């Protein structure tokens, strides 16, 4: 064997050893990171009050967890019902508080992972970007839905007129501050990693909660039904899985079973039909929130739209043998079937996604705020996913042109601009033959 061949073999062996050492170092770094996360991240706890702990001390861990989980599920449902009673604005505040808590839980994981590197301004910039994002989305919602009210306050005029410019300026300030924080070359990769982490978290939480609030403005029923369906599916899947579960559903979440998935699905469809049939009869739930000059405040009074009125449907001829040719239903009840199917079949994948995220960092839960459940993100992972679907569903299959929103935009114009719109509309109605020329003459003076 020539000396050159020997040198090549030695060089190849050296390269392979270097690669092996590098892979070992990466694995060691990953293990160290996971240990750091496990040690620093709050883990789910079943610790409750001394009275509950004392009452449950004789139960097995499995049944103890089941009872604690049930108790705090009931508590959360009662609190949620009270917030619903307070009305839409209270729900918006609740959504914002939950969003902030979920954001804190996710950002904290990134902070703990790189805490030892002392990255400059990470937490400050994370909260700045949350503020900028919320300012933009909440401002867009408020201007779109309550422009008449906002224009009544003169001090808000600059904020309305230059809302998007202010939003852009806030974000730009954060971006500039981030660039200025890049002072140590060895930290660049970690800083850009956390920059991306922050923006993905904003995409998941802020945009989804914005859609949820938009759904509320369409009518409380578009918020309450989907949220209740997710809650029902979560509870019933847990119950069916606890008592009957034997067949694993997905590796990401070993405790999830086919029995729980199927049982929860059927329960959710039945629950959705019943809940929708009850809520659709009440204006409090079906009317969108609007500002009324006559009432001097916000109101939930309206003439229910077509999907909230009883409609007669002709049954297929196959069913005529049962003696029924038609059936009267609220169209929204049929829409609720679509919402129920999504909540029970696709909705759980929001939870599976969160499970995969937690397993990637070897943490049990996002937090330990709620005994038996974990953190807020553990409970609301599916809700944010469902909110986007409902918003898309409304815009695709339900929402038409809204006269109320058009009038709200019209009333936000200056008086002269309103007269110009009126004149154009008057001429258009005359042209279409919907308004007689003679009847339009007295109006012509008003329109200029």
């Amino acid at each position: 064997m020539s000396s050159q061949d020997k040198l090549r073999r030695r060089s190849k062996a050296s390269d392979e050893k270097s690669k092996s050492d590098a892979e070992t170092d990466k694995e060691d770094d990953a293990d160290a990171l996971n240990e750091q996360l496990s040690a620093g991240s709050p883990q789910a706890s079943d610790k409750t009050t001394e009275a509950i702990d004392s009452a449950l001390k004789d139960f097995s861990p499995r049944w103890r967890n089941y009872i604690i989980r049930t108790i705090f599920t009931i508590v959360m449902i009662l609190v949620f019902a009270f917030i619903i009673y307070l009305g839409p604005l209270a729900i918006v505040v609740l959504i914002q508080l939950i969003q902030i808590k979920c954001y804190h839980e996710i950002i904290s994981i990134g902070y703990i992972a790189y805490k030892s590197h002392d990255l400059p301004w990470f937490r400050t910039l994370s909260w700045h970007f949350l503020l900028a994002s919320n300012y933009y989305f909440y401002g867009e919602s408020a201007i779109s839905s309550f422009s008449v009210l906002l224009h009544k306050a003169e001090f808000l005029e600059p904020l309305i007129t230059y809302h998007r410019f202010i939003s852009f300026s806030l974000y730009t300030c954060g971006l500039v501050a981030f660039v200025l924080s890049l002072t140590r070359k060895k930290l660049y990769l970690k800083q850009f990693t956390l920059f991306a982490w922050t923006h993905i978290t904003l995409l998941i939480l802020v945009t989804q909660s914005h859609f949820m609030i938009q759904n509320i403005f369409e009518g409380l029923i578009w918020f309450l039904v989907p949220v209740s369906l997710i809650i029902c599916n979560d509870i019933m899947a847990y119950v069916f899985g606890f008592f009957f579960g034997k067949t694993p559903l997905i590796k990401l979440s070993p405790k999830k079973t086919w029995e729980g998935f199927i049982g929860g699905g059927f329960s959710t469809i039945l629950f959705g039909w019943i809940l929708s049939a009850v809520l659709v009869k009440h204006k409090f739930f079906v009317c969108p929130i609007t500002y009324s000059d006559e009432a001097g405040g916000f109101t939930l009074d309206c003439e229910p739209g077509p999907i909230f009125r009883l409609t007669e449907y002709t049954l297929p001829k196959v069913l005529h043998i049962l003696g029924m040719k038609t059936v009267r239903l609220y169209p929204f009840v049929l829409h609720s079937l679509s919402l129920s199917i999504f909540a029970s079949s696709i909705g759980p994948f929001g939870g599976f996604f969160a499970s995969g995220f937690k397993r990637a960092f070897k943490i049990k839960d996002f937090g330990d705020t709620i005994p038996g459940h974990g953190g807020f993100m553990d409970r609301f992972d599916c809700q944010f996913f469902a909110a986007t679907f409902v918003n898309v569903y409304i815009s695709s299959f339900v929402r038409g042109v809204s006269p109320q929103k058009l009038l709200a935009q019209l009333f936000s114009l200056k008086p002269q601009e309103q007269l110009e719109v009126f004149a154009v509309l008057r001429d258009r109605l005359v042209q279409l033959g919907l308004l007689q020329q003679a009847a339009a003459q007295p109006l012509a003076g008003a329109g200029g």
Side-chain angles (χ1 to χ4, degrees):
M1 181 181 297
S2 65
S3 60
Q4 289 183 349
D5 291 338
K6 289 180 179 180
L7 285 173
R8 288 196 193 98
R9 287 194 175 188
R10 287 177 184 175
S11 177
K12 185 177 181 181
S14 177
D15 290 343
E16 290 177 352
K17 186 177 185 303
S18 298
K19 289 181 181 178
S20 177
D21 291 342
E23 290 176 359
T24 302
D25 291 340
K26 287 181 180 179
E27 291 175 358
D28 292 340
D29 291 342
D31 291 338
L33 176 60
N34 288 327
E35 288 178 6
Q36 188 175 347
L37 282 168
S38 298
S41 300
Q43 299 298 310
S45 171
D46 289 342
K47 184 175 177 57
T48 57
T49 62
E50 291 185 5
I52 296 178
D53 286 340
S54 176
L56 301 178
K57 63 181 180 180
D58 295 328
F59 287 89
S60 66
R62 182 169 181 264
W63 276 99
R64 185 177 184 278
N65 177 268
Y66 177 82
I67 296 172
I68 291 175
R69 190 181 178 98
T70 301
I71 291 173
F72 281 90
T73 296
I74 294 172
V75 170
M76 287 189 290
I77 290 175
L78 292 175
V79 171
F80 180 63
F82 178 70
I83 298 296
I84 293 294
Y85 171 77
L86 294 179
L89 297 183
I91 300 172
V92 171
V93 173
L94 176 66
I95 292 172
Q96 181 59 34
L97 293 175
I98 291 173
Q99 179 214 98
I100 292 173
K101 180 59 180 172
C102 290
Y103 185 80
H104 172 259
E105 290 177 352
I106 296 179
I107 289 298
S108 293
I109 296 175
Y111 176 73
I112 292 168
Y114 293 109
K115 186 177 181 181
S116 61
H117 298 285
D118 192 25
L119 300 181
W121 303 356
F122 166 61
R123 301 191 86 172
T124 302
L125 288 175
S126 296
W127 289 105
H128 172 82
F129 284 123
L130 178 67
L131 172 65
S133 301
N134 274 316
Y135 178 82
Y136 171 73
F137 283 114
Y138 275 80
E140 289 290 308
S141 296
I143 292 171
S144 172
S145 302
F146 309 119
S147 57
V148 175
L149 173 62
L150 296 177
H151 280 284
K152 286 180 176 293
E154 291 186 5
F155 72 93
L156 291 177
E157 282 291 340
L159 297 179
I160 297 171
T161 305
Y162 306 111
H163 168 71
R164 294 191 177 183
F165 180 78
I166 295 171
S167 301
F168 176 77
S169 299
L170 284 172
Y171 180 83
T172 302
C173 289
L175 183 63
V176 171
F178 171 75
V179 173
L180 293 176
S181 73
L182 300 171
T183 56
R184 286 181 284 176
K185 188 174 181 179
K186 65 178 183 179
L187 296 180
Y188 286 177
L189 180 59
K190 296 178 177 61
Q191 285 180 276
F192 275 100
T193 299
L194 289 178
F195 183 80
W197 182 292
T198 298
H199 281 69
I200 290 175
T201 304
L202 292 173
L203 177 66
I204 293 173
L205 294 180
V206 179
T207 56
Q208 314 302 320
S209 58
H210 168 70
F211 287 144
M212 193 173 285
I213 291 170
Q214 287 292 310
N215 298 341
I216 292 174
F217 290 160
E218 294 292 332
L220 268 179
I221 199 167
W222 290 108
F223 166 79
L224 185 55
V225 169
V227 167
S228 300
L229 291 174
I230 293 291
I231 293 173
C232 173
N233 186 72
D234 190 39
I235 292 173
M236 297 311 296
Y238 177 77
V239 171
F240 275 91
F242 184 86
F243 288 104
F244 309 108
K246 293 181 180 179
T247 313
L249 176 63
I250 188 170
K251 287 184 178 181
L252 280 174
S253 191
K255 292 184 179 180
K256 297 290 191 293
T257 63
W258 275 105
E259 289 80 4
F261 183 78
I262 296 171
F266 280 109
S267 301
T268 301
I269 292 173
L270 178 61
F271 173 76
W273 184 280
I274 296 172
L275 179 65
S276 300
V278 173
L279 297 184
V280 78
K281 299 176 182 178
H282 302 279
K283 288 186 177 182
F284 178 80
F285 296 110
V286 303
C287 290
I289 178 173
T290 54
Y291 178 79
S292 170
D293 277 327
E294 293 79 7
F298 295 104
T299 178
L300 288 172
D301 187 30
C302 69
E303 184 64 31
I307 67 168
F308 302 118
R309 301 174 193 161
L310 274 175
T311 303
E312 190 172 271
Y313 293 93
T314 302
L315 294 174
K317 291 184 178 181
V318 179
L319 299 177
H320 289 182
I321 58 174
L322 300 176
M324 295 177 58
K325 294 184 178 181
T326 61
V327 63
R328 288 171 61 82
L329 291 173
Y330 291 98
F332 181 81
V333 175
L334 299 178
H335 286 296
S336 74
L337 288 177
S338 300
L339 303 181
S340 298
I341 292 172
F342 178 88
S344 58
S345 60
I346 307 299
F349 281 83
F352 299 153
F353 177 86
S355 295
F357 182 89
K358 289 182 286 186
R359 288 187 173 279
F361 289 95
K362 294 186 178 179
I363 57 175
K364 184 179 179 182
D365 290 293
F366 286 101
D368 56 2
T369 311
I370 311 171
H373 292 269
F376 274 78
M377 194 62 200
D378 293 287
R379 287 277 55 84
F380 295 98
D381 45 14
C382 298
Q383 295 289 2
F384 291 116
F385 188 32
T388 304
F389 169 74
V390 174
N391 190 269
V392 171
Y393 185 88
I394 292 173
S395 62
S396 300
F397 303 108
V398 178
R399 182 191 294 148
V401 177
S402 172
Q404 290 177 322
K405 289 190 176 181
L406 289 176
L407 286 173
Q409 293 176 347
L410 176 62
F411 294 152
S412 66
L413 298 175
K414 295 177 181 179
Q416 185 59 38
E417 293 172 332
Q418 293 185 30
L419 287 173
E420 291 175 4
V421 173
F422 168 75
V424 172
L425 179 61
R426 180 200 62 211
D427 294 342
R428 176 64 174 167
L429 293 176
V430 170
Q431 182 182 357
L432 294 174
L434 299 175
L435 184 66
Q436 297 298 323
Q437 184 69 37
Q441 287 300 324
L443 301 176

